[in-house]
Amino acid sequence: MQTEDWLKAACADADRRGLEGLKPLLESLARSTASLREFDRAIRASDAASISESTPAGDAAGRER
């Protein structure tokens, strides 16, 4: 489930339950979650780039014989 979809569903549920004060907290949680996911993606991409740059051609599984 995408963060935006979750937020819409959670806010609709808060509205049904009469919990208007919960919506700003849900929005903050959604923003924080999106930021953490983006940071994780960036770290993984950076790690993958570092690994591919440090692996010599013809090494490991791609070794030529």
Side-chain angles (χ1 to χ4, degrees):
M1 175 179 272
Q2 296 295 318
T3 305
E4 297 84 21
D5 298 332
W6 171 83
L7 179 59
K8 287 178 188 176
C11 285
D13 186 51
D15 285 339
R16 282 190 302 274
R17 296 171 188 248
L19 302 171
E20 290 295 319
L22 186 60
K23 289 170 68 174
L25 297 173
L26 294 171
E27 291 165 354
S28 179
L29 178 60
R31 283 191 305 273
S32 297
T33 299
S35 294
L36 287 170
R37 286 182 177 174
E38 183 56 37
F39 181 74
D40 186 56
R41 282 186 206 107
I43 292 296
R44 289 174 188 260
S46 175
D47 288 349
S50 295
I51 290 170
S52 67
E53 290 174 0
S54 65
T55 304
D59 194 22
R63 185 177 307 148
E64 296 178 17
R65 292 180 187 211

